[in-house]
Amino acid sequence: MTTDQPDARFMDEAVDLAVKGVLSGEGGPFGAVVVKDGAVVGRGNNRVTSSNDPTAHAEIVAIREACAALGTFSLAGCELYTSCEPCPMCLGAIAWARFDRVYYAGNRDDAAAAGFDDAEFYDEVCRPIDERHLPMISFRRTDAQRAFEAWRAQGDRVDY
């Protein structure tokens, strides 16, 4: 069960994780916690540079830990506390995880002032495919239909 009132303890933990991650050399100044029914079920701090993984943002690490702890891919019924407004990648993961709500402390302008300017990524996602800076080329689209046909025919699939 979630509420619409943030709990300062959880944001304190998210910010503490961010600071500890910086001081330990694990990565950038970002931390996150996943909360379900008033208890932390997942924690994460940025580990991009220490793990050589560009997806190891605090929110992603916390989502992975929470899903493992709960044994599910859906975090419906959970809240995310994060030390900074999520980047576009994390926002996508948050949406797929089905969180009830997200609380964030710093915003994208604060991150930009610290050298983490994600404006280009926000802009890129909004551009039509043929106007993106990263070339996106559809290739053999008809071949991909076999996978979609297999999915539609799978009687015991788990929809998400």
Side-chain angles (χ1 to χ4, degrees):
M1 180 173 134
T2 61
T3 67
D4 59 1
Q5 296 298 314
D7 188 322
R9 296 173 301 159
F10 300 129
M11 188 59 77
D12 288 344
E13 185 168 351
V15 172
D16 287 347
L17 284 166
V19 173
K20 288 176 185 174
V22 169
L23 296 177
S24 70
E26 287 188 307
F30 306 100
V33 296
V34 177
V35 177
K36 182 173 180 66
D37 298 327
V40 174
V41 295
R43 293 174 174 82
N45 61 281
N46 183 285
R47 298 178 187 163
V48 169
T49 57
S50 62
S51 66
N52 294 319
D53 179 354
T55 69
H57 289 201
E59 296 91 340
I60 303 295
V61 173
I63 288 169
R64 289 174 179 161
E65 186 174 291
C67 288
L70 297 174
T72 182
F73 57 83
S74 174
L75 296 178
C78 295
E79 300 171 326
L80 178 68
Y81 286 77
T82 181
S83 65
C84 190
E85 178 182 0
C87 74
M89 177 186 68
C90 292
L91 189 56
I94 290 163
W96 276 108
R98 310 288 197 244
F99 279 96
D100 286 7
R101 70 186 38 80
V102 176
Y103 298 107
Y104 64 93
N107 64 27
R108 65 180 78 179
D109 297 324
D110 301 326
F116 297 91
D117 192 352
D118 294 341
E120 178 59 33
F121 300 127
Y122 285 105
D123 294 343
E124 186 77 358
V125 170
C126 295
R127 287 186 186 101
I129 288 177
D130 60 347
E131 294 177 19
R132 292 185 182 162
H133 293 122
L134 176 64
M136 303 282 294
I137 301 139
S138 181
F139 178 65
R140 298 181 64 165
R141 180 178 172 202
T142 56
D143 292 343
Q145 301 316 304
R146 290 185 300 127
F148 292 122
E149 289 166 9
W151 174 255
R152 285 190 291 270
Q154 188 69 22
D156 62 348
R157 72 175 184 245
V158 177
D159 290 327
Y160 60 97

